[in-house]
Amino acid sequence: MSYINIFLEKLKDKGVVVLLKEDKSLQIKSKKGAMTPDIISELKSLKSEIVEFLDSGVGREYICSFQQGRLCFLDKFEEGETQAYNMPSLLLLEGELDIDALENALQTIISRHEILRTNFIEIDGIFHQVVGKSSRFGLEKREIEESKIEEVVDSILVEPFGLEEDLLFRATLFSVAPERYYLFINMHHIICDGWSIAILIKEFVQLYRDHTLLPLTIQYGDYAKWQREYLG
């Protein structure tokens, strides 16, 4: 992890978020009292390095689409305590399973689609999406009895998503018997819909089989920008 990455993570822990605007200038969002003279001085001295780091993708900021803005507003109104916007999927996997290949496939999907590693913050009354690191993802692995699957999945579903700080893509692999598994994936609706899930499953199968996918030329943030410009 680079020094700039560590520095920005420490700032985030202190309540200071650094964003890269489209014109390559920095925008700072901070909690009251979080911006100390030392932080301001270091931000100024590291400005060019921070811009270069954020321009690589991590920390990229987009305005939310209209649909995302509505969900952000509802989440704020409900204080993040609702599970109404979960998008769960449970897949039965039978036969010999390469768990490392499975995890790598999921990691690649999250790296590939910025929206799957994006968080949502409010700046001056406007909701924005901020791209995070794909390395935050980790596949949880558990061995349980198959009869307990429904109970355990229900317990996972009640865990809320924090739109500002949590990775909004969660995955758990349940081993229930030799060569019998369940892959449970839960996402917040703000990063995915029913149509998108079919695409993600197709990509997951291709990546697990070690197929190479063409790079994406457009991310969801580009669509949100277009929507705001042409339909706003």
Side-chain angles (χ1 to χ4, degrees):
M1 184 180 293
S2 70
Y3 174 76
I4 297 299
N5 197 348
I6 294 171
F7 173 63
L8 294 176
E9 286 296 315
K10 287 182 177 179
L11 288 186
K12 188 175 180 181
D13 290 341
K14 295 177 180 178
V16 179
V17 178
V18 183
L19 306 173
L20 184 66
K21 300 174 70 175
E22 289 184 17
D23 62 1
K24 298 297 190 291
S25 63
L26 296 179
Q27 182 170 15
I28 314 297
K29 179 178 184 289
S30 64
K31 295 179 180 178
K32 186 176 181 180
M35 287 290 286
T36 66
D38 287 343
I39 289 177
I40 294 172
S41 176
E42 195 158 10
L43 282 170
K44 288 181 178 179
S45 66
L46 295 172
K47 181 179 177 180
S48 60
E49 290 90 345
I50 294 172
V51 169
E52 182 180 359
F53 175 78
L54 295 179
D55 197 35
S56 67
V58 176
R60 184 176 291 133
E61 174 262 332
Y62 303 95
I63 195 167
C64 284
S65 67
F66 296 126
Q67 297 92 330
Q68 288 175 326
R70 179 178 61 84
L71 289 171
C72 284
F73 173 79
L74 291 172
D75 182 80
K76 181 179 179 180
F77 178 76
E78 294 160 351
E79 299 182 343
E81 294 300 320
T82 181
Q83 292 82 46
Y85 309 112
N86 287 349
M87 296 284 292
S89 299
L90 186 65
L91 306 176
L92 172 62
L93 307 175
E94 295 182 294
E96 186 176 348
L97 182 68
D98 186 336
I99 296 177
D100 288 339
L102 182 150
E103 187 164 11
N104 288 337
L106 292 174
Q107 184 75 63
T108 300
I109 287 172
I110 292 171
S111 298
R112 194 177 147 73
H113 296 274
E114 289 182 352
I115 188 62
L116 299 181
R117 47 191 167 93
T118 289
N119 289 109
F120 300 84
I121 63 175
E122 186 177 5
I123 304 174
D124 299 328
I126 304 296
F127 292 105
H128 293 252
Q129 41 185 323
V130 183
V131 180
K133 303 187 301 294
S134 60
S135 59
R136 291 190 295 164
F137 171 74
L139 175 66
E140 184 180 359
K141 308 172 188 74
R142 300 174 63 173
E143 293 186 5
I144 65 170
E145 297 176 10
E146 189 162 9
S147 60
K148 302 278 189 181
I149 280 287
E150 184 176 349
E151 175 185 345
V152 174
V153 165
D154 286 345
S155 69
I156 295 174
L157 282 174
V158 300
E159 299 173 8
F161 283 108
L163 297 189
E164 289 195 4
E165 68 281 348
D166 290 344
L167 185 65
L168 305 179
F169 182 108
R170 296 171 180 166
T172 304
L173 181 66
F174 296 105
S175 174
V176 297
E179 299 192 351
R180 187 172 175 86
Y181 305 84
Y182 286 90
L183 176 62
F184 177 64
I185 295 175
N186 189 28
M187 293 175 279
H188 194 286
H189 184 39
I190 200 168
I191 66 167
C192 190
D193 56 22
W195 181 77
S196 303
I197 286 177
I199 293 175
L200 296 179
I201 291 175
K202 180 180 178 180
E203 288 191 356
F204 167 72
V205 172
Q206 291 175 313
L207 290 166
Y208 178 77
R209 293 173 176 170
D210 203 25
H211 292 178
T212 300
L213 302 180
L214 293 175
L216 297 175
T217 57
I218 297 177
Q219 297 286 344
Y220 185 86
D222 298 312
Y223 162 75
K225 178 185 174 185
W226 171 87
Q227 185 193 62
R228 290 283 182 170
E229 289 177 349
Y230 289 92
L231 302 180

